[in-house]
Amino acid sequence: MDSSKKIILFDGVCNLCNGSIQFVIKRDRDDVFRYAALQSEAGQRLVSERNIDLSKVDSILVIEPGVAYFTKSDAALNIGRHLKGYRTISTLLHLIPSVLRNIIYDLIARNRYKWYGKKEECMVPAPELRAKFLD
């Protein structure tokens, strides 16, 4: 695993999460991120190594190897800072206290299956994107 890449862990059966990952992949022009579903072997290993409680965070995480990990709205804004066209808005939204940002984040996360649906199994990346996903 390339330690210079940030890792986005996402709910692999959530339609909103899968759509968000596709959105990030298209805009990750500097190739900053690698991806793994939380349900995957790699996702489970990364969560376990960091003693992350998935009962409190179950939709998106960003891991910066050797530095830190980010959850909820902090994770989303961390991603946005690396996407062309979204850096400014991510920086501005970061000025809002995380407690307030996370109220909205948690509302969406709690209802994501009801509002956006759920797959029976994790997404399988297209062959041309396979190298961006961790095993």
Side-chain angles (χ1 to χ4, degrees):
M1 180 174 11
D2 185 345
S3 64
S4 70
K5 304 293 182 187
K6 291 186 177 197
I7 303 163
I8 299 175
L9 299 178
F10 64 99
D11 180 350
V13 298
C14 168
N15 288 336
L16 173 62
C17 301
N18 281 300
S20 298
I21 293 303
Q22 294 302 319
F23 179 89
V24 172
I25 288 170
K26 288 178 185 172
R27 289 158 182 83
D28 182 17
R29 293 193 178 107
D30 295 330
D31 196 32
V32 173
F33 298 108
R34 292 298 174 259
Y35 311 89
L38 285 164
Q39 297 87 344
S40 71
E41 192 175 302
Q44 291 293 305
R45 184 182 69 250
L46 290 163
V47 165
S48 176
E49 289 171 357
R50 287 157 182 80
N51 296 315
I52 298 170
D53 183 356
L54 288 182
S55 69
K56 295 180 180 156
V57 180
D58 67 347
S59 57
I60 193 167
L61 294 153
V62 175
I63 297 172
E64 194 168 343
V67 179
Y69 68 88
F70 305 91
T71 62
K72 299 186 178 192
S73 65
D74 286 332
L77 294 179
N78 187 286
I79 294 166
R81 283 191 188 143
H82 297 283
L83 305 179
K84 187 174 176 131
Y86 294 88
R87 292 178 181 125
T88 303
I89 189 74
S90 292
T91 301
L92 290 173
L93 288 173
H94 204 83
L95 296 173
I96 299 169
S98 63
V99 172
L100 296 176
R101 285 186 275 119
N102 284 338
I103 289 171
I104 294 169
Y105 181 92
D106 288 338
L107 174 69
I108 295 168
R110 247 189 335 271
N111 291 290
R112 68 188 186 273
Y113 296 145
K114 183 172 31 170
W115 295 344
Y116 299 96
K118 179 179 178 180
K119 298 179 186 307
E120 291 301 314
E121 26 185 83
C122 291
M123 143 182 118
V124 177
E128 64 274 11
L129 298 177
R130 186 70 196 113
K132 293 183 174 288
F133 286 78
L134 305 179
D135 293 327

